[in-house]
Amino acid sequence: MDYIMTCTSAELALLVTLSGYPGVAKGIAEASVGEKGPKEWEAIMEVTTHQLILKQLWDDERELKGEIPLKDEIQQFIQSYVESKWMIRCSNKGQSNILMIHHIEKDTWMTHIIDRDIIHEFTYIKGVDIPSIIRNYYSFSEEGVESAQMFHITDQAFDLLSENQNAGKVRKLSSFSPIEEQSFRLFLNDLESQGWSLYNISMFHNPSIERDPILENIVFFLPAAKGIWVVEYTDHPSAPVKIELNTFEQWCDLLNGVGLEASSVNR
């Protein structure tokens, strides 16, 4: 791992603007402080310029020459960040931060942790590090699963699970065996403890900064007191969505699969 920098959203937006990507910078800034008028943005950027000077990220000599007032390595970092073609996004419902992993070139990736839409931390990593970084980010319990738990539901039923009042509808749409009903009740308890929201790891392809990223793959999951519920699409004829309680070892295998998928972007 090779630490790059930590900065605020305003600092990152200014660095991105100076590097020639004002549209991207606008999105970064508005995610943090919302929409502002021209005069407000000017005041924010003036203060932020002083912060970059204090951090020694501002190059006075380049500014005097009428050039972009950033060192070459900073400009290269910003270009690699903005123009990254592949990104892994890891949601974390229990925390106020999110982990993004951007592909830079060949086997080089960049972790990007966003804390409360305010603080951004960047580090260069290798592709082989991706599974362990995601595993450490979530830090799920390694305690063993007491018994196997699994049930199948339809796509429609899966969509309904985002709201607690729909549990009865899901039961009506499903044909649970007594064992599946028990698994479903355990899953609902864990889902309620997480605010009726699943976690997900998604991979995006971003062929151009002018276009919205394309979702290439996504896996939904949910931590339990013992184990991790994982959602998988199968070829089941009537209820293709399988929700199964995985052991920690199975969870690690899943993350290794994410790492393998990430490595394929270099081929």
Side-chain angles (χ1 to χ4, degrees):
M1 298 178 64
D2 186 10
Y3 172 77
I4 305 171
M5 67 181 300
T6 300
C7 61
T8 65
S9 292
E11 291 168 347
L12 181 60
L14 181 53
L15 291 172
V16 171
T17 298
L18 292 171
S19 298
Y21 306 97
V24 176
K26 185 174 184 289
I28 294 170
E30 289 183 349
S32 176
V33 297
E35 294 188 18
K36 299 290 182 182
K39 289 186 177 179
E40 290 177 295
W41 279 125
E42 185 177 342
I44 291 172
M45 290 300 100
E46 183 176 352
V47 172
T48 305
T49 298
H50 297 159
Q51 293 171 349
L52 294 184
I53 293 171
L54 285 172
K55 288 187 172 183
Q56 299 183 331
L57 297 176
W58 193 273
D59 192 315
D60 292 324
E61 292 185 6
R62 286 178 179 262
E63 184 181 20
L64 290 173
K65 293 177 183 178
E67 301 174 356
I68 297 173
L70 301 176
K71 297 177 181 178
D72 288 338
E73 57 267 29
I74 296 297
Q75 292 187 58
Q76 181 60 49
F77 151 64
I78 293 297
Q79 181 182 8
S80 297
Y81 161 63
V82 173
E83 297 189 5
S84 172
K85 303 298 184 186
W86 292 90
M87 178 186 71
I88 300 170
R89 181 183 185 275
C90 304
S91 71
N92 194 347
K93 298 299 182 182
Q95 303 295 328
S96 58
N97 56 37
I98 188 168
L99 170 65
M100 318 278 272
I101 306 176
H102 305 271
H103 183 241
I104 303 305
E105 61 175 3
K106 298 180 180 178
D107 193 42
T108 299
W109 292 71
M110 175 197 296
T111 63
H112 175 197
I113 294 179
I114 309 172
D115 186 11
R116 291 163 292 178
D117 280 328
I118 300 172
I119 305 298
H120 301 253
E121 181 177 298
F122 298 90
T123 304
Y124 286 127
I125 63 168
K126 293 299 181 182
V128 70
D129 300 322
I130 290 175
S132 62
I133 284 171
I134 297 177
R135 184 173 65 247
N136 292 336
Y137 174 67
Y138 288 114
S139 295
F140 291 152
S141 171
E142 298 184 29
E143 193 166 352
V145 172
E146 292 181 349
S147 60
Q149 305 291 340
M150 181 182 68
F151 59 95
H152 285 81
I153 55 176
T154 64
D155 272 321
Q156 181 184 1
F158 180 61
D159 291 338
L160 289 171
L161 282 175
S162 59
E163 297 182 10
N164 61 344
Q165 64 266 29
N166 291 334
K169 294 179 182 178
V170 172
R171 281 191 171 91
K172 289 181 180 179
L173 289 169
S174 309
S175 300
F176 292 144
S177 67
I179 294 176
E180 285 183 315
E181 173 63 29
Q182 178 187 9
S183 296
F184 181 62
R185 281 191 279 107
L186 291 173
F187 175 77
L188 288 183
N189 290 337
D190 291 324
L191 188 59
E192 183 177 15
S193 70
Q194 296 292 333
W196 294 88
S197 184
L198 295 171
Y199 292 54
N200 72 77
I201 298 172
S202 48
M203 176 170 273
F204 293 90
H205 181 215
N206 190 18
S208 168
I209 61 173
E210 310 299 331
R211 295 173 52 187
D212 291 332
I214 301 167
L215 179 63
E216 294 286 339
N217 199 3
I218 186 168
V219 57
F220 293 98
F221 54 96
L222 183 77
K226 297 180 180 180
I228 301 98
W229 294 99
V230 174
V231 179
E232 179 184 357
Y233 279 83
T234 71
D235 57 2
H236 192 286
S238 59
V241 181
K242 181 178 76 171
I243 301 180
E244 183 176 13
L245 187 62
N246 281 206
T247 64
F248 185 77
E249 290 73 19
Q250 289 173 308
W251 165 247
C252 292
D253 287 343
L254 185 152
L255 297 184
N256 288 336
V258 174
L260 286 173
E261 185 175 4
S263 68
S264 70
V265 307
N266 300 316
R267 296 171 186 169

